[in-house]
């Protein structure tokens, strides 16, 4: 395989974000079960971008960086979640967002196997 063939085979990530539905179930402060369904847009991350996110910044949350670099909100998928807000996300919601990112990027237990 040469570089051109690798490009045609999809070896490089697209910049087109992927729309994913999130179903967030939680208990509100008054103990009531709540379910919220909404769409997010997930930016695909290249190998180098993921490596940079998980780099050596020991004082920053890697998962929060992963979310703020990958998730976009709003009707057109252009609203970013600032790092300072990403670290404050509800843990269940943060986990759902990371799951969506991993699905789009083919990472984790559901990733394609060679």
């Amino acid at each position: 395989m040469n570089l051109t063939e690798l490009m045609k085979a999809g070896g490089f990530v697209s910049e087109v974000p992927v729309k994913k539905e999130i179903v967030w179930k939680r208990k509100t402060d008054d103990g009531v079960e709540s379910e919220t369904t909404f769409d997010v847009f997930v930016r695909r991350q290249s190998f180098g971008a993921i490596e940079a996110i998980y780099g050596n910044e020991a004082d920053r949350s890697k998962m929060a960086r992963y979310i703020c670099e990958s998730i976009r909100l709003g009707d057109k998928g252009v609203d970013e979640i600032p790092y300072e807000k990403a670290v404050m996300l509800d843990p269940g919601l943060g986990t759902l967002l990371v799951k969506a990112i991993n699905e789009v990027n083919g990472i984790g237990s559901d990733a394609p196997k060679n």
Side-chain angles (χ1 to χ4, degrees), residues 12-17 43-45:
F12 300 91
V13 297
S14 168
E15 293 186 19
V16 177
R43 291 180 61 219
R44 292 178 179 97
Q45 297 295 329

Side-chain angles (χ1 to χ4, degrees), residues 43 45 48-72 81-84 86-87 89 98 101:
R43 291 180 61 219
Q45 297 295 329
I50 290 174
E51 183 180 45
I53 289 168
Y54 287 97
N56 55 9
E57 290 188 53
D59 62 331
R60 291 178 59 101
S61 164
K62 290 168 181 31
M63 288 290 110
R65 278 195 66 206
Y66 196 35
I67 290 169
C68 73
E69 293 291 334
S70 303
I71 296 293
R72 296 295 180 263
I81 300 174
Y83 174 82
E84 296 74 21
V87 296
L89 284 169
V98 168
I101 297 165

